Short mmCIF file of all heavy atoms in Angstrom, two decimals:
data_model
loop_
_atom_site.label_atom_id
_atom_site.label_comp_id
_atom_site.label_asym_id
_atom_site.label_seq_id
_atom_site.Cartn_x
_atom_site.Cartn_y
_atom_site.Cartn_z
N PHE F 158 -2.94 -2.53 -21.06
CA PHE F 158 -1.83 -1.96 -20.42
C PHE F 158 -1.30 -0.68 -21.15
O PHE F 158 -0.86 0.25 -20.56
CB PHE F 158 -0.72 -2.99 -20.39
CG PHE F 158 0.26 -2.78 -19.20
CD1 PHE F 158 0.06 -3.39 -18.01
CD2 PHE F 158 1.47 -2.08 -19.46
CE1 PHE F 158 0.97 -3.15 -16.95
CE2 PHE F 158 2.39 -1.87 -18.42
CZ PHE F 158 2.09 -2.42 -17.17
N PRO F 159 -1.40 -0.63 -22.51
CA PRO F 159 -0.85 0.52 -23.22
C PRO F 159 -1.65 1.81 -22.93
O PRO F 159 -1.20 2.86 -23.26
CB PRO F 159 -0.94 0.08 -24.72
CG PRO F 159 -0.91 -1.33 -24.68
CD PRO F 159 -1.58 -1.83 -23.46
N ARG F 160 -2.87 1.60 -22.40
CA ARG F 160 -3.74 2.80 -22.15
C ARG F 160 -3.75 3.18 -20.62
O ARG F 160 -4.54 3.98 -20.24
CB ARG F 160 -5.14 2.51 -22.64
CG ARG F 160 -5.26 2.49 -24.10
CD ARG F 160 -6.61 2.00 -24.62
NE ARG F 160 -7.72 2.74 -24.19
CZ ARG F 160 -9.01 2.42 -24.59
NH1 ARG F 160 -9.28 1.37 -25.33
NH2 ARG F 160 -9.99 3.24 -24.19
N ALA F 161 -2.88 2.49 -19.94
CA ALA F 161 -2.81 2.77 -18.47
C ALA F 161 -1.86 3.97 -18.08
O ALA F 161 -1.37 4.66 -19.02
CB ALA F 161 -2.22 1.53 -17.73
N MET F 162 -1.73 4.24 -16.80
CA MET F 162 -0.90 5.34 -16.30
C MET F 162 -0.12 4.93 -15.09
O MET F 162 -0.33 3.86 -14.54
CB MET F 162 -1.81 6.56 -15.99
CG MET F 162 -2.57 7.21 -17.15
SD MET F 162 -3.71 8.48 -16.74
CE MET F 162 -2.53 9.73 -16.09
N LYS F 163 0.86 5.79 -14.78
CA LYS F 163 1.79 5.35 -13.68
C LYS F 163 1.09 5.56 -12.31
O LYS F 163 0.45 6.50 -12.03
CB LYS F 163 3.03 6.28 -13.80
CG LYS F 163 4.13 5.74 -12.94
CD LYS F 163 4.78 4.50 -13.45
CE LYS F 163 5.87 3.86 -12.53
NZ LYS F 163 5.22 3.43 -11.26
N GLY F 164 1.27 4.50 -11.47
CA GLY F 164 0.84 4.54 -10.09
C GLY F 164 2.06 4.84 -9.23
O GLY F 164 3.17 5.22 -9.69
N GLY F 165 1.89 4.61 -7.99
CA GLY F 165 2.94 4.98 -7.01
C GLY F 165 2.61 4.65 -5.57
O GLY F 165 1.68 3.92 -5.33
N ILE F 166 3.32 5.27 -4.63
CA ILE F 166 3.05 5.07 -3.23
C ILE F 166 2.86 6.45 -2.57
O ILE F 166 3.58 7.42 -2.98
CB ILE F 166 4.19 4.30 -2.54
CG1 ILE F 166 3.84 3.84 -1.12
CG2 ILE F 166 5.49 5.07 -2.53
CD1 ILE F 166 4.73 2.76 -0.61
N GLY F 167 1.92 6.62 -1.65
CA GLY F 167 1.71 7.83 -0.96
C GLY F 167 1.32 7.59 0.48
O GLY F 167 0.99 6.48 0.82
N HIS F 168 1.26 8.64 1.25
CA HIS F 168 0.94 8.59 2.70
C HIS F 168 0.22 9.75 3.18
O HIS F 168 0.35 10.85 2.52
CB HIS F 168 2.14 8.20 3.53
CG HIS F 168 3.33 9.18 3.26
ND1 HIS F 168 3.44 10.38 4.00
CD2 HIS F 168 4.33 9.11 2.45
CE1 HIS F 168 4.49 10.94 3.67
NE2 HIS F 168 5.11 10.22 2.68
N ALA F 169 -0.47 9.65 4.21
CA ALA F 169 -1.19 10.80 4.83
C ALA F 169 -1.49 10.40 6.25
O ALA F 169 -1.36 9.28 6.69
CB ALA F 169 -2.50 11.08 4.11
N ALA F 170 -1.78 11.40 7.08
CA ALA F 170 -2.13 11.20 8.46
C ALA F 170 -3.09 12.22 8.93
O ALA F 170 -3.09 13.39 8.46
CB ALA F 170 -0.91 11.15 9.33
N ILE F 171 -3.87 11.93 9.94
CA ILE F 171 -4.85 12.81 10.58
C ILE F 171 -4.69 12.70 12.11
O ILE F 171 -4.65 11.58 12.62
CB ILE F 171 -6.29 12.42 10.11
CG1 ILE F 171 -6.42 12.50 8.58
CG2 ILE F 171 -7.34 13.40 10.79
CD1 ILE F 171 -7.61 11.80 8.10
N THR F 172 -4.78 13.86 12.76
CA THR F 172 -4.70 13.85 14.20
C THR F 172 -5.99 14.44 14.77
O THR F 172 -6.42 15.52 14.37
CB THR F 172 -3.47 14.66 14.73
OG1 THR F 172 -2.30 13.96 14.24
CG2 THR F 172 -3.42 14.68 16.21
N VAL F 173 -6.55 13.82 15.72
CA VAL F 173 -7.72 14.34 16.42
C VAL F 173 -7.50 14.13 17.87
O VAL F 173 -7.21 12.99 18.40
CB VAL F 173 -9.05 13.56 16.03
CG1 VAL F 173 -10.17 14.02 16.87
CG2 VAL F 173 -9.31 13.82 14.56
N ASP F 174 -7.57 15.20 18.66
CA ASP F 174 -7.47 15.17 20.16
C ASP F 174 -6.27 14.39 20.63
O ASP F 174 -6.34 13.56 21.53
CB ASP F 174 -8.81 14.55 20.72
CG ASP F 174 -8.85 14.70 22.27
OD1 ASP F 174 -8.21 15.74 22.78
OD2 ASP F 174 -9.56 13.93 22.82
#
Side-chain angles (χ1 to χ4, degrees):
F158 207 89
R160 290 168 63 178
M162 294 177 65
K163 193 69 185 70
I166 194 167
H168 52 88
I171 301 165
T172 299
V173 174
D174 193 24

